[in-house]
Structure formats: C-alpha cells, structure tokens
Amino acid sequence: MEAIYLDHAATTPMHPKVIEAMTTVMQDTFGNPSSIHGFGRQARKLLDQARRVAAQSINANEKAITFTSGGTEADNLALLGVAYANQDKGKHIITTKMEHHATLHTAEHLEKQGFSVTYLDVDDAGHIQLDQFDEALTDQTILVSVMMVNNETGVIQPVEEIGERLANHQAYFHSDAVQGFGMIPIDVEQMQIDLLTVSSHKINGPKGIGFLYAGTEVILDPRQHGGEQERKRRPGTENVAGIVGFQQAIELVNEHRYENYETYANYRKQFLNTLEDEGVDFTVNGDLQKTVPTIVNISFPGANVEAMLTNFDLSGVAASSGSACTAGSVEPSHVLCAMFGEDHPSTTNSIRFSFGLANTDENVTKAAQKVAAIIHRLTSM
Amino acid sequence: MKQPEDTRVVVGMSGGVDSSVTALLLKQQGYDVVGIFMKNWDDTDENGVCTATEDYDDVVRVCNQLDIPYYAVNFEKEYWDKVFTYFLDEYQAGRTPNPDVMCNKEIKFKAFLEHALTLGADYVATGHYAQVRRDTDRVEMLRGEDDNKDQTYFLNQLSEDVLRKVMFPLGHLPKEEVRQLAYDHDLATANKKDSTGICFIGERNFKEFLSEYLPAQPGKMMTLSGEVKGDHDGLMYYTIGQRQGLGIGGPGGPWFVVGKNVQDNILYVGEGYHNDALYSDGLLATEINWINETPLEPFTCTAKFRYRQKDSVVTVYPQSDMTAKVVFEQPERAVTPGQAVVFYQDEVCLGGGTIDEIMKNNQYLDYVG
C-alpha cells in the first residue's frame, strides 16, 4: 500500500532539482564563505547568488536577507530582535491569536519580559478585523506581526491593509509568510512589510534553512553573537548547501507559481468533490474563497481527531490536525479555538489536508475515497 | 481463523518494559501490530514537564525498533469521570478503592478497546500477567503463570465477550524472562524501572496527593470500647489493618486500624496484629462480574481479598442483582471494604466484586466502615 501524502503544510518533499543542486555543492564546494582563499570565494559566490534570488523573490534589497535555520528562528529573530532593540520607543506589540507558535510563544515570552501584547481576535471565517487592529494600535506600539496565510486554515490575511496603516507609524511590520510564499506574489515594498519570514522546507527545499527579510533600516538586536556573517544579524558559518537548495526551491516555486496554483486548486476541488460525491457530511473551516489552494481544513461532525488521524494513517493517508497531539495531550488547535470558541465541536473533529508536489489527480481522488470510507465507518459506529 | 499477518492487534503501550515486550512478542508471531499510548492523566508540573511525554517517547523508540506504527489517544476525561471520581468518592465514604480494577474495567478494556475496534483491531493486547484460554466457544481467563506477578485480581471485571478480543502475550512468562527478552532485543525500555503504586500518583506522597482533592478532617482515634488514643489526620488516610502512622506510644501495642466511623469521624484502633476485631468470617460483595456463566447455587471456590494474597477457601452464596455473600473457611484478617474480592476455580478466574460489608458470625461488622 503506497501512502498518500496530504500534509504539505507540515513539510514538503524535496524537488529533485533541489537535491541535485545541493549534491553538487556538497561534492564541489566545501569552503567557508568567510575565508579569503579560493575555496572560500567559491562558496561565497554561491551564497551571494542565493541571497540575490531570495531578495528578488520578494522585491527586496539583498542586504536585507538574513539566512536562518528556518521559520521559527526567523520569527524569533524578528520579534525578539525588534522588541529588544526598540523598547525605548514603546513596549507594545500587536499580533493575532492564530499565529504559528513560533510567533505566539515568542510574544508570550516578551510579555514576561515586560512588553505588552495585543492578540487580535479571529472571526469564524478565519479573518482578523481591521477595526480591532486600528483600536489596538497606539503610539507605544513598536511591532505588528500578522501572518500572511494561516497554516491551519489557509486563510489569507489582510497584510497589505496593515502595511498601509503602518506606513506612517513607528511600528515595524513583520509578516510570517511561511505558508504564503510560493502561492501569493510578495512585494515587500508594495506591501510595506518591514520584516518577513520564509521557510525552505515548505516549498520543496531542504529542512533547516529559511530567511528573515528585515529592511536595512530596521534596527534589530541579534539573538546570537559570533562572527561577521549575515551582517552580524545572525552570525555562524553559513549552511551553504542548504542555502543553495533553498535558492533552487525559490526559483522553482516562483517559476511555476501560476501552474502550481492551478494544479493545487484542482486537487483541492477534486478532493472536496469526491467527499461530496461519497456523501460525507463535512464543513470547511475558514473562508474558502480567501484561502491559498494548498490547504483545506475540514470539520467532520460526529468524528474525532485521534480516531480519524490514526485510521487515515493505517489506511495510507497522511494528514494532520492543528493540534499537536504527540503524547496524547488533547490540545485543540489554538487557531480553531480562536475562530469558534474552545468548546465548539469543530475544535475536536477537524483535519487539515494540504496539497503539493507529492500529489496527482489519481492519488488525491483515492485519498478522498479512503477518507470518505473511514468517516462513514467512524460516524456510523 | 485468520492468519497472523491478517490479524490486527492493537497493543496498549505504557512505555514500560512489559508492554514493550508484549509488542515484541506479537511482532515476532507475525501479527499486524499497532502500538497505542493512552494518556489518562495530566501531571504536567509547573515547569511544563509531564511524565506522559517521557513515557510516550519510550513508546515511540520501542515501536520504531520493532517497526510498528504508533499513536496516542487521550482518555483523560473518561478516566476522570469513571475512575478518579470513583476513587475520590470511595475515599470520602471511608473505603479503600481499587482504581486499577476500575481502570481496567472502564478504560483499558472499554474506552481503549472501543478505540482499537475503530482502528480495525481484531484484538487488543496488554502486558498484563494473565492468560486467556480459548476453547471452541468458551473463553476463560487464567492466572498468570508467574504466581508472584499474576494480575487477574485487577482484571476481575472483564467479561467473556471482552476477553474474546483480548490477548495477554506475557501471561505464560516469568517476569525475569520478560526483562531478559527486552535486554536480548536491546529494547529502549529494557532498563526502565517498573512503575509502582497508583499510576496517577506515581512516586508522589499519597497523603499529600489526596489532600489536594479531598479536605482532610482530623478527628479522634479510639478503641472500640471508646477509649481515646489520640487524633487522626483524616479517615481517608488510613486503611484497615494499617500499623504505620498512628503514633500511639506508651506500653503495649503495636496498634492497628480496625475500623472507621465516617459519620462521627472516628478512627478505631486495636492493639496487636492478631487483634480479634481485625478478623472476620464473611463478606458481602456487590457489583460482581462473573466472567463466564452466572452461578445460581452456592458453591465452594477460592478467593483473594487483596492483590498478591494467597487464595483462601470460601463458599459463595449468590444473591440477586450481582451480589453474593461469601463465607470464609478460616477467619481472615483485615478484609477491607472497597477492595475487590476475586474468585478462582483452580487456575480459572471466575470473576469478582467489590467488598461492601464485612461479616462475623452472620452479623455485619459495622465498625469496619
């Protein structure tokens, strides 16, 4: 039985061209980019090229790109870096209740350090309300962090509107674009974004690499100290092979953005249509009209997350729930709780399916059929 | 009969050595084995550390060694409602409950079994030291081969229907051999200490734990004839036959708990291990589960009144609604209300019930509690 992967929002398979590019680097270019000799220069050249590709992908200056170990580190660097470096201007931060834990838990940490944080509500369609944002913004606000696309529902957030509102405000605007990059065209100038997080392994690149865009004017306190790498914003010998793989992934995802969008939207449609055809009772969580096509979050009334996920896996369908139920702890998804309230049944009967490189029309349909059979079995028991 | 490879066995894995070896043996026998970790209790401390996380990590490591899939399931709510509430209610009523019996009845062989069935399980398996004997239609539960580890006492509430879907792969093995198997296969849990005590209390102080949930009401400690011997910290902290923690000094002794008066909050004590008040010759058992057929006529068998006790010869007089009067051949010491009485016919466990009343000379011993 070949398992079908419907969890691309968790991580994605590496593209063969990425593997090829990385293999070449690992074979041919072992130098330290900071070294003054030829070995070093060869590596530095690759690093510069990758930085340029990363910068161009969001219409940014190369100097504003800091490679990190991934999305979590980039979010931490953005929040902690801005907060600590700018606390003389105020100690207020605005974010949302649906952010990834990399942002949420960092914001909570900052609260313990004396910062005050406003967590914007999320409505039952998965959106924040700009009115509430306007009310929350004060002259003490130094940072606003709003994700571009929610990782559990796929709902696209009003990033441009917030950028606009902050154009003449001291607060820096950070957006975690981990789930949006590759699907939504990003222009940090036009969107007036000061800091932006991107992760490689969500776009068919290797794990352990990502970048933070932070405009050169952004004052940022580094979180680690060492050499001169990454303009001292993130010292440490660079992960050259990872960065080159990331570069390749960025190139591929941008080159094929329109066709990918189309393909994944079709997969999702196909998936939902099959569930309907099979007579499954379900509702989609979040405003489907305002989502990226890679993600759909579905509530199955009368079923339970643990039983569904276990059954899916045993029958060869890999999906996930927002809650990390690693050790059997029932921690309902904070995103769904924010949308519906903690006691709402959708917080315990919802599954996220996410589409990507590992899918085909056939395997998406087959997966939907398997899911339908399991849901029928579980809800009739 | 299905072939092993077509037979799905869902193993309840705790992260301990017994359930690890259970999974190992089933895998060796060629079954389609799935490991499931049950989280029944949240003991996350102020540092965010939770023993369940550590235990689950052990389950993960063992399952990866055995190359079987593993999942977790949460029964915290079921456990709280069905086991912990009972546990507290019994203590509040001055009795000594047996949460392991209730956990097996309501969680492991009910909620977990049902969950396993939704996963297409043909059987569930646990690392209990007990055996299942399957004849054509009849399924019986036998004592574990290792008499010192036999756990049928805790499994007395299982029905024949449940046992049809149960495997106890360790039942025929001595504990040392189980440990040795874990070593031989280099299982990640081979060196892990066996858990002791009540699972949700773990290594913690019992008295401290209980005081977090039930208000302690200190009161008088006295003899059955009314002589005050001191104060007690709260009836729930004492069990019949207990010697420790009474703090009665002076000549004579030692002193033992012989009974409780919940209404007046009095702890009765008596002098000497063989104090007459500690002895009884019968009991009334309620909530009896007969694993196979329900007896209608009186019969003689053996019984245990507490875990690991040697069997005693008894005569059972079945009464209506799952109760029975049990008369002992020899007087028994410190039979305790709330504990289980479990019946055996040689190696076969017949079932058991809750000790509700203690009797002597055909009278209820009201002072016991």
Side-chain angles (χ1 to χ4, degrees):
Chain A
M1 179 183 62
E2 189 149 339
I4 302 168
Y5 191 73
L6 294 181
D7 202 14
H8 290 80
T11 193
T12 57
M14 285 196 347
H15 194 287
K17 284 187 180 168
V18 170
I19 298 171
E20 207 186 299
M22 290 178 73
T23 308
T24 307
V25 175
M26 288 189 282
Q27 280 167 346
D28 301 347
T29 314
F30 71 90
N32 185 329
S34 301
S35 300
I36 51 146
H37 44 61
F39 295 91
R41 281 194 299 278
Q42 194 189 343
R44 174 63 197 246
K45 191 175 160 187
L46 296 178
L47 192 59
D48 287 351
Q49 282 169 357
R51 200 182 305 280
R52 177 163 303 171
V53 168
Q56 283 168 351
S57 73
I58 55 170
N59 188 28
N61 182 326
E62 282 167 54
K63 291 180 178 171
I65 302 294
T66 302
F67 287 111
T68 66
S69 64
T72 295
E73 191 194 330
D75 285 342
N76 271 265
L77 179 57
L79 268 73
L80 300 175
V82 166
Y84 287 130
N86 297 278
Q87 47 187 324
D88 53 321
K89 297 181 206 150
K91 296 191 98 174
H92 180 235
I93 295 164
I94 300 174
T95 184
T96 78
K97 288 182 179 166
M98 71 174 131
E99 295 301 306
H100 189 275
H101 282 144
T103 298
L104 272 187
H105 290 164
T106 306
E108 284 161 15
H109 169 79
L110 283 169
E111 280 188 282
K112 286 189 198 145
Q113 309 304 312
F115 291 85
S116 77
V117 180
T118 303
Y119 299 91
L120 300 176
D121 293 330
V122 185
D123 67 19
D124 60 7
H127 302 291
I128 54 164
Q129 301 299 321
L130 288 168
D131 295 356
Q132 200 192 9
F133 170 79
D134 293 338
E135 278 169 38
L137 189 67
T138 72
D139 59 1
Q140 292 297 302
T141 311
I142 52 170
L143 175 67
V144 174
S145 181
V146 175
M147 67 200 326
M148 188 166 289
V149 169
N150 182 264
N151 53 311
E152 290 186 32
T153 61
V155 175
I156 300 163
Q157 301 303 320
V159 168
E160 273 181 82
E161 287 85 340
I162 292 170
E164 215 167 280
R165 283 165 160 76
L166 292 175
N168 294 310
H169 191 283
Q170 67 164 4
Y172 289 124
F173 180 29
H174 168 246
S175 185
D176 176 338
V178 166
Q179 298 291 346
F181 188 88
M183 281 293 116
I184 295 175
I186 300 173
D187 180 330
V188 290
E189 287 302 321
Q190 190 213 323
M191 293 170 146
Q192 307 191 66
I193 293 170
D194 303 301
L195 301 103
L196 184 98
T197 295
V198 175
S199 167
S200 153
H201 76 104
K202 308 286 189 186
I203 56 163
N204 311 307
K207 290 165 185 63
I209 194 77
F211 74 70
L212 176 69
Y213 156 78
T216 45
E217 78 291 350
V218 175
I219 305 165
L220 205 60
D221 209 21
R223 302 322 301 155
Q224 60 197 62
H225 304 275
E228 305 277 324
Q229 297 93 343
E230 302 298 301
R231 301 163 54 80
K232 292 200 212 169
R233 278 177 165 174
R234 202 273 191 181
T237 301
E238 299 85 346
N239 172 5
V240 179
I243 289 169
V244 169
F246 188 17
Q247 171 200 343
Q248 183 63 251
I250 293 171
E251 286 173 331
L252 286 164
V253 86
N254 281 330
E255 193 181 323
H256 299 290
R257 185 163 67 233
Y258 296 105
E259 55 187 281
N260 285 349
Y261 196 97
E262 200 91 330
T263 308
Y264 301 155
N266 279 330
Y267 289 158
R268 186 170 72 177
K269 205 162 123 193
Q270 182 73 17
F271 188 79
L272 294 174
N273 285 346
T274 307
L275 290 184
E276 257 169 40
D277 293 347
E278 300 280 336
V280 176
D281 179 19
F282 69 91
T283 53
V284 171
N285 297 318
D287 180 356
L288 198 59
Q289 304 310 314
K290 295 212 172 112
T291 54
V292 288
T294 40
I295 298 176
V296 64
N297 194 303
I298 303 178
S299 163
F300 297 100
N304 154 288
V305 170
E306 287 166 339
M308 283 191 282
L309 287 178
T310 309
N311 269 295
F312 292 165
D313 183 49
L314 287 171
S315 66
V317 176
S320 67
S321 67
S323 50
C325 37
T326 41
S329 317
V330 177
E331 252 186 66
S333 142
H334 66 281
V335 178
L336 298 179
C337 285
M339 286 166 66
F340 302 119
E342 278 183 25
D343 296 326
H344 194 279
S346 292
T347 61
T348 55
N349 67 17
S350 295
I351 304 285
R352 176 188 69 186
F353 300 94
S354 47
F355 308 94
L357 200 59
N359 296 131
T360 61
D361 284 329
E362 294 72 39
N363 77 9
V364 166
T365 307
K366 198 170 165 200
Q369 285 163 345
K370 288 185 174 195
V371 166
I374 290 165
I375 300 297
H376 283 311
R377 187 158 59 78
L378 291 179
T379 52
S380 67
M381 267 172 132
Chain B
M1 184 84 180
K2 279 191 187 178
Q3 291 302 303
E5 61 267 31
D6 303 321
T7 307
R8 177 166 290 169
V9 185
V10 171
V11 184
M13 298 188 70
S14 63
V17 69
D18 290 337
S19 55
S20 301
V21 173
T22 300
L24 166 75
L25 294 177
L26 290 167
K27 175 78 178 179
Q28 286 177 336
Q29 288 157 28
Y31 288 102
D32 171 12
V33 185
V34 174
I36 303 247
F37 175 77
M38 265 175 274
K39 190 173 181 218
N40 299 334
W41 188 260
D42 185 24
D43 68 345
T44 310
D45 67 17
E46 59 273 17
N47 300 317
V49 179
C50 161
T51 52
T53 312
E54 304 288 320
D55 290 338
Y56 180 67
D57 191 57
D58 288 332
V59 170
V60 170
R61 293 191 296 153
V62 169
C63 288
N64 280 329
Q65 285 182 296
L66 300 178
D67 198 19
I68 61 173
Y70 50 86
Y71 308 95
V73 64
N74 188 290
F75 291 128
E76 278 171 43
K77 185 179 184 314
E78 289 84 349
Y79 194 89
W80 184 279
D81 290 349
K82 296 288 173 61
V83 182
F84 196 61
T85 306
Y86 143 84
F87 173 83
L88 293 182
D89 286 350
E90 286 285 273
Y91 269 114
Q92 209 145 24
R95 293 154 55 120
T96 306
N98 199 312
D100 294 328
V101 171
M102 199 54 98
C103 177
N104 285 327
K105 178 185 181 181
E106 297 289 347
I107 307 298
K108 291 183 185 156
F109 298 96
K110 190 167 183 186
F112 175 70
L113 173 61
E114 283 167 9
H115 181 68
L117 294 176
T118 72
L119 305 179
D122 295 292
Y123 295 95
V124 295
T126 63
H128 283 107
Y129 287 86
Q131 304 180 78
V132 182
R133 180 162 68 194
R134 299 170 209 279
D135 286 335
T136 38
D137 260 341
R138 190 183 171 81
V139 180
E140 294 171 316
M141 181 166 73
L142 310 190
R143 303 175 203 254
E145 196 70 44
D146 185 339
D147 203 39
N148 192 40
K149 291 296 291 182
D150 168 42
Q151 288 174 313
T152 49
Y153 181 82
F154 298 115
L155 298 165
N156 74 77
Q157 293 288 315
L158 270 54
S159 69
E160 186 174 5
D161 271 347
V162 164
L163 284 167
R164 281 182 209 288
K165 305 188 190 83
V166 170
M167 289 183 174
F168 297 126
L170 304 189
H172 62 290
L173 296 173
K175 174 78 188 193
E176 303 76 63
E177 201 169 313
V178 170
R179 187 62 81 174
Q180 191 58 47
L181 279 166
Y183 280 123
D184 292 348
H185 291 83
D186 202 21
L187 294 184
T189 50
N191 283 308
K192 197 165 168 179
K193 237 176 78 188
D194 285 327
S195 60
T196 52
I198 300 169
C199 62
F200 49 81
I201 302 179
E203 306 290 311
R204 297 178 59 191
N205 178 303
F206 174 77
K207 210 165 161 177
E208 208 174 275
F209 176 86
L210 209 54
S211 69
E212 286 172 23
Y213 296 92
L214 292 176
Q217 288 177 294
K220 292 287 171 220
M221 206 179 331
M222 54 177 76
T223 63
L224 285 172
S225 51
E227 187 192 342
V228 175
K229 300 301 294 181
D231 298 313
H232 69 76
D233 299 337
L235 291 180
M236 62 190 181
Y237 299 136
Y238 306 87
T239 188
I240 307 301
Q242 174 180 334
R243 175 180 171 175
Q244 272 79 34
L246 298 182
I248 303 172
W255 290 82
F256 293 86
V257 173
V258 302
K260 297 175 180 187
N261 179 338
V262 176
Q263 204 171 349
D264 300 326
N265 196 24
I266 297 166
L267 185 72
Y268 293 121
V269 292
E271 206 174 355
Y273 183 86
H274 289 298
N275 190 296
D276 194 45
L278 277 169
Y279 282 84
S280 59
D281 60 18
L283 61 83
L284 184 74
T286 56
E287 295 154 297
I288 296 186
N289 166 63
W290 297 108
I291 293 173
N292 300 105
E293 47 284 309
T294 302
L296 302 169
E297 298 297 323
F299 66 99
T300 302
C301 65
T302 63
K304 286 187 199 293
F305 311 107
R306 58 184 63 202
Y307 179 49
R308 275 192 181 158
Q309 190 180 46
K310 275 178 90 170
D311 283 38
S312 306
V313 177
V314 301
T315 305
V316 179
Y317 296 87
Q319 300 181 351
S320 55
D321 57 11
M322 290 144 62
T323 65
K325 199 170 107 176
V326 181
V327 175
F328 316 151
E329 196 179 74
Q330 300 290 329
E332 292 290 334
R333 182 183 176 275
V335 177
T336 305
Q339 288 288 295
V341 53
V342 182
F343 307 107
Y344 298 89
Q345 200 69 264
D346 302 317
E347 290 314 296
V348 182
C349 178
L350 305 175
T354 305
I355 300 171
D356 193 51
E357 297 280 359
I358 312 299
M359 305 169 79
K360 194 186 240 172
N361 301 325
N362 235 352
Q363 301 285 319
Y364 288 144
L365 291 184
D366 290 330
Y367 64 81
V368 179

